[in-house]
Amino acid sequence: MRLTEFEGKQIFSKYKIKIPKGFLISNPKEIVKNLDFNNFNEYSVKAQILLGKRGKLGAIQFADKSNLSQVAKSLFNKKFEGFDVNKLLIEEKISLDKQFYLGITLSRKDDSYILVFSEQGGADIEEISKSSPESIKKLAILKPQRKNLIRFFPNSKFKDKLIDTAMKLFKIVYDYDAVLVEINPLINIKNHLVALDSKIIIDDNALFRHQDIAKEKEMQLSRIEREAFHLGVSFVQLSGNIAVISNGAGLVMATLDLIDYYGGKPANFLDIGAGAGMKEIFEGLKMLLEEKPKGILINIFAGMTRCDEIANGIIKFRKQYKIKIPFVVRMIGTNEEDAKLMLKKENIEMLDSMEECVKKIVKEIH
Amino acid sequence: MSILVNQKTRVIVQGITGNQGSFHTKEMLDYGTNIVAGVRPGKGGQEVFGVPVFNTITEVLKEKKADWSILFVPAPNLKSAALEALNNNLNIIIITENVPIKDTIEIVNIANKKNLKVIGPNCPGVVSNSKIKIGIMPNHLFNKNGPIGVISRSGSLTYEISKHLSDANLGQSTVLGIGGDPIIGIDFIEALKLFEKDKETEKIVLVGEIGSDTEERAAEFISKKISKQVVAYIVGKTAPEGKRMGHAGAIISGNTGTALTKIQTFNKFGIEVAKIPSQIPKLLKN
């Protein structure tokens, strides 16, 4: 779960990492009352959307007092890659002197966290990491101590402050179950390091330990995303017309790839997960139907899941909603014989082969 | 032989009284797995399908010996249960999904220090065909012993691939689901080493998916260290791009992570990649 820049900076502030002066608004009218305490020559106006490269997208703009309201208004009226702008962070515009990159994320290879640092931070950090990889320093580290970091950071007048900031970022990683904490750029203002931006991603699996954040984020989901969240399934909208329900991320992806291979277009990714039952399949089907697909494909390979429970959900769904679009079912695994009998009574054919099932739905919708 | 487990392996089930724990205990017993005990704090003294339940692993080990523990413990309590098993020198298989990554990092590092094995989390376990299953694979589809070793990051897709192999009369020596989480215990490279050494395994199927650089690293390792034929199958060509892990993720993994980069890497190292599951048996027979 990704936090907005402002939410991340609130956390930085709590850990005594310096951030620029500024204020958050959800309406241009809120600017006036904030100006007394935020009297700057120039302002950065930053849309609080969950996208990278905001500068290049035009989601960060600059203004002075005379046109601040206007710039804010125009940003509120814009959409960036489908995201509405609901909040703006307005800060003192700071001229960039030294720009560092500092981040911590996961390293699979090392089964640990990895600290990443560059003296050439900024929006082009990824390009720099490719063109001059030697300028990026990395250190896989589990329990950071100052003495490890002394060797890591190059000697400069910023060294102590960089160590200090890195230690704070590690504390945030541990305290918040973060899988990414990133400051880019980290800049020098009068010999203080200031986080000009923030990027924090919290491990979704650990949200039960961070109820306040979980609640806040839930408010930001779309209708269908929220339904999926409550149902405990993972859903992603795609652009095609064949609705897909399957179990296990790998099998869902294999199903989508097969639809593509045989010339169809999947409408979504929906993984009802291991051990899903009647409720997940019923509610999942209901969710997909609302998006008006041309056909529905169910592909369940049951280990933890039991086919008979899935069959019950399918039968209930078909009875409640009179389905006229092509509807194919492939189920195999735990209790498949019971499921086959149950579906047969309702005149629903249950196929054994995933490839046959995909071919059938692609053919039927054409 | 097979890798990791054999008929003599003694197994404890942690979380045996839960819905999934008890259901799969029965399934594993039916398959022939030697389950010596179950553990569930507060329910010591009960029985689940004839398996005695204890409050703690320490209590079990006073009376019995064990090699592996399989965990069906819910995610919030998983770490303490896993550490209990590791501290008692048991290898562990974590079936539980949605385990916080911070917890997995701690579990895997403790196991590494103690030279113990971790499979998972979020995995289907391991099955050595017609001998033993420590996992949740459907029994009736894992009944054909043979020369193919399977390693997979997925659960249900692993069953799919095994079924294609069995239907083509290609039995499997061991099928191992290593789990789909960002941090896991045994990875592709470690599993490949084990299959390379295993006399019963002649050919290997590697089932990968998008995200991370694990398939790319495995491909390079295969080209250098594996003498047996490996066929890969990679899913996720049409999957939506996942949430980008900031710049750090891109910097760490470089030009890796998509289905295309993985397939290209396998091809570069001369490893064949199946386009759809039914091609896997054909490529193995070539």
Side-chain angles (χ1 to χ4, degrees), chain A residues 2-191:
Chain A
R2 182 163 160 190
L3 306 186
T4 61
E5 175 195 3
F6 178 75
E7 292 163 335
K9 281 180 169 171
Q10 298 278 92
I11 294 176
F12 286 171
S13 209
K14 209 170 126 188
Y15 285 74
K16 310 230 167 355
I17 295 170
K18 289 196 185 328
I19 57 171
K21 287 196 191 99
F23 55 96
L24 186 76
I25 59 164
S26 42
N27 185 323
K29 286 179 194 142
E30 295 165 23
I31 290 176
V32 179
K33 65 176 182 202
N34 281 292
L35 283 187
D36 288 349
F37 298 100
N38 296 280
N39 190 6
F40 313 126
N41 287 329
E42 272 195 283
Y43 296 86
S44 299
V45 187
K46 304 161 95 178
Q48 297 301 291
I49 45 174
L50 298 175
L51 290 172
K53 302 203 191 308
R54 283 179 301 162
K56 287 174 186 169
L57 288 174
I60 297 176
Q61 300 199 4
F62 303 106
D64 56 26
K65 229 169 271 170
S66 68
N67 64 349
L68 184 56
S69 289
Q70 215 161 354
V71 168
K73 255 182 223 157
S74 78
L75 271 174
F76 274 121
N77 286 331
K78 277 194 181 133
K79 263 190 180 199
F80 296 96
E81 295 182 10
F83 285 90
D84 286 324
V85 177
N86 297 318
K87 289 199 164 89
L88 294 177
L89 178 59
I90 300 179
E91 291 179 335
E92 178 177 18
K93 189 191 172 195
I94 292 161
S95 59
L96 303 175
D97 169 18
K98 188 86 182 152
Q99 296 197 51
F100 296 116
Y101 170 94
L102 187 64
I104 299 171
T105 189
L106 301 171
S107 172
R108 292 173 184 245
K109 197 171 73 194
D110 305 291
D111 299 323
S112 76
Y113 297 102
I114 189 163
L115 178 64
V116 183
F117 171 72
S118 172
E119 289 185 283
Q120 302 176 46
D124 298 323
I125 183 72
E126 283 176 39
E127 288 72 30
I128 289 169
S129 78
K130 280 173 195 150
S131 58
S132 51
E134 71 288 343
S135 68
I136 310 277
K137 297 198 69 178
K138 298 176 212 164
L139 177 68
I141 192 166
L142 200 58
K143 295 248 157 70
Q145 292 178 314
R146 288 193 83 89
K147 63 176 185 208
N148 311 115
L149 302 186
I150 288 170
R151 267 170 283 157
F152 177 73
F153 288 107
N155 287 324
S156 80
K157 63 175 174 176
F158 300 112
K159 184 167 179 147
D160 276 347
K161 292 200 170 71
L162 284 169
I163 294 172
D164 204 48
T165 310
M167 291 297 288
K168 286 170 181 167
L169 291 191
F170 268 110
K171 187 129 189 12
I172 293 170
V173 164
Y174 275 93
D175 289 353
Y176 283 88
D177 278 280
V179 291
L180 174 82
V181 177
E182 187 172 85
I183 307 177
N184 186 40
L186 179 65
I187 59 163
N188 168 34
I189 300 177
K190 294 175 191 144
N191 286 325

Side-chain angles (χ1 to χ4, degrees), chain A residues 1-2 53 101 103-114 116 122-123 125-126 129-130 136 138 142-143 173-177 179-180 182 184 199 201 203-206 208-209 236-238 247-251 253-254 256-258 260-262 266 269 273-275 299 301-304 306 330 332-336 352-355, chain B residues 19-20 23-24 27 72 75-76 79 95-103 105-106 108-109 112-113 136-142 153-157 159-161 163-164 180-185 187 209-214 217 233-240 243-252 254-255 259 275-279:
Chain A
M1 187 155 271
R2 182 163 160 190
K53 302 203 191 308
Y101 170 94
I104 299 171
T105 189
L106 301 171
S107 172
R108 292 173 184 245
K109 197 171 73 194
D110 305 291
D111 299 323
S112 76
Y113 297 102
I114 189 163
V116 183
I125 183 72
E126 283 176 39
S129 78
K130 280 173 195 150
I136 310 277
K138 298 176 212 164
L142 200 58
K143 295 248 157 70
V173 164
Y174 275 93
D175 289 353
Y176 283 88
D177 278 280
V179 291
L180 174 82
E182 187 172 85
N184 186 40
K199 194 176 284 171
I201 300 176
D203 176 9
D204 287 342
N205 290 349
F208 67 87
R209 293 178 187 147
V236 184
Q237 186 82 55
L238 300 173
N247 66 325
L251 191 65
M253 286 193 277
L256 303 184
D257 286 356
L258 268 177
D260 177 65
Y261 183 84
Y262 287 114
F269 172 107
N299 180 21
F301 208 125
M304 279 250 206
R306 299 173 210 174
R330 185 282 180 122
I332 193 163
T334 308
N335 297 351
E336 68 178 65
D352 290 334
S353 152
M354 152 159 113
E355 287 172 29
Chain B
N19 237 339
Q20 300 295 348
F23 178 80
H24 287 288
E27 293 283 299
F72 292 96
K79 186 178 98 177
I95 303 297
T96 312
E97 17 171 37
N98 302 326
V99 178
I101 295 169
K102 185 171 77 181
D103 297 358
I105 290 178
E106 189 176 340
V108 170
N109 278 280
N112 288 348
K113 256 188 213 150
I136 56 169
M137 294 89 166
N139 286 356
H140 66 294
L141 295 165
F142 286 82
R153 263 169 85 183
S154 314
S156 45
L157 181 59
Y159 319 153
E160 185 74 49
I161 301 306
K163 185 177 185 309
H164 275 92
D181 283 6
I183 304 286
I184 52 172
D187 61 7
E209 53 188 59
I210 48 170
S212 91
D213 63 346
T214 55
R217 285 189 287 119
Y233 172 57
I234 307 291
V235 296
K237 280 188 277 284
T238 51
K243 283 167 248 155
R244 274 166 41 95
M245 289 284 270
H247 294 300
I251 292 169
I252 304 286
N255 290 321
K275 287 196 177 73
I276 56 175
S278 59
Q279 281 180 359

Side-chain angles (χ1 to χ4, degrees), chain B residues 114-142:
Chain B
K114 295 174 72 88
N115 221 358
L116 293 166
K117 302 224 179 295
V118 176
I119 301 176
N122 187 16
C123 79
V126 59
V127 56
S128 169
N129 272 346
S130 65
K131 290 176 197 150
I132 175 176
K133 178 182 86 166
I134 315 179
I136 56 169
M137 294 89 166
N139 286 356
H140 66 294
L141 295 165
F142 286 82

Side-chain angles (χ1 to χ4, degrees), chain B:
Chain B
M1 286 304 291
S2 47
I3 68 164
L4 296 162
V5 296
N6 58 45
Q7 289 108 314
K8 290 183 188 149
T9 306
R10 296 156 297 191
V11 181
I12 291 174
V13 179
Q14 282 174 272
I16 192 169
T17 56
N19 237 339
Q20 300 295 348
S22 60
F23 178 80
H24 287 288
T25 294
K26 168 91 169 43
E27 293 283 299
M28 285 189 279
L29 288 169
D30 288 348
Y31 199 83
T33 305
N34 180 15
I35 300 178
V36 297
V39 170
R40 167 67 164 87
K43 299 211 170 158
Q46 297 184 4
E47 273 192 4
V48 173
F49 299 108
V51 175
V53 179
F54 294 77
N55 289 315
T56 64
I57 288 193
T58 316
E59 281 177 30
V60 176
L61 295 179
K62 275 182 196 154
E63 293 180 30
K64 295 156 184 284
K65 288 192 171 151
D67 310 293
W68 283 84
S69 181
I70 179 168
L71 288 94
F72 292 96
V73 178
N77 308 323
L78 187 271
K79 186 178 98 177
S80 65
L83 295 186
E84 187 193 357
L86 293 174
N87 288 331
N88 282 288
N89 292 315
L90 297 173
N91 300 301
I92 56 174
I93 294 180
I94 305 170
I95 303 297
T96 312
E97 17 171 37
N98 302 326
V99 178
I101 295 169
K102 185 171 77 181
D103 297 358
T104 307
I105 290 178
E106 189 176 340
I107 291 165
V108 170
N109 278 280
I110 287 174
N112 288 348
K113 256 188 213 150
K114 295 174 72 88
N115 221 358
L116 293 166
K117 302 224 179 295
V118 176
I119 301 176
N122 187 16
C123 79
V126 59
V127 56
S128 169
N129 272 346
S130 65
K131 290 176 197 150
I132 175 176
K133 178 182 86 166
I134 315 179
I136 56 169
M137 294 89 166
N139 286 356
H140 66 294
L141 295 165
F142 286 82
N143 50 13
K144 193 165 259 167
N145 201 5
I148 313 293
V150 179
I151 328 163
S152 169
R153 263 169 85 183
S154 314
S156 45
L157 181 59
T158 314
Y159 319 153
E160 185 74 49
I161 301 306
S162 271
K163 185 177 185 309
H164 275 92
L165 293 172
S166 296
D167 289 351
N169 211 19
L170 291 163
Q172 300 106 60
S173 53
T174 302
V175 178
L176 171 63
I178 58 176
D181 283 6
I183 304 286
I184 52 172
I186 291 179
D187 61 7
F188 279 135
I189 291 180
E190 210 175 332
L192 285 162
K193 282 184 201 165
L194 294 168
F195 275 128
E196 176 72 8
K197 269 193 273 178
D198 177 37
K199 288 199 181 88
E200 207 185 13
T201 303
E202 291 167 20
K203 299 178 177 196
I204 303 161
V205 176
L206 184 153
V207 183
E209 53 188 59
I210 48 170
S212 91
D213 63 346
T214 55
E215 286 79 6
E216 286 88 341
R217 285 189 287 119
E220 188 174 355
F221 181 81
I222 291 165
S223 74
K224 288 182 179 153
K225 306 270 177 169
I226 302 296
S227 63
K228 299 175 181 179
Q229 185 194 357
V230 179
V231 170
Y233 172 57
I234 307 291
V235 296
K237 280 188 277 284
T238 51
E241 239 183 90
K243 283 167 248 155
R244 274 166 41 95
M245 289 284 270
H247 294 300
I251 292 169
I252 304 286
S253 52
N255 290 321
T256 60
T258 68
L260 194 66
T261 61
K262 288 171 195 300
I263 292 166
Q264 283 169 346
T265 311
F266 279 104
N267 288 336
K268 187 176 101 189
F269 288 110
I271 301 153
E272 285 184 290
V273 183
K275 287 196 177 73
I276 56 175
S278 59
Q279 281 180 359
I280 297 171
K282 289 173 200 153
L283 293 173
L284 285 168
K285 281 175 177 168
N286 282 342

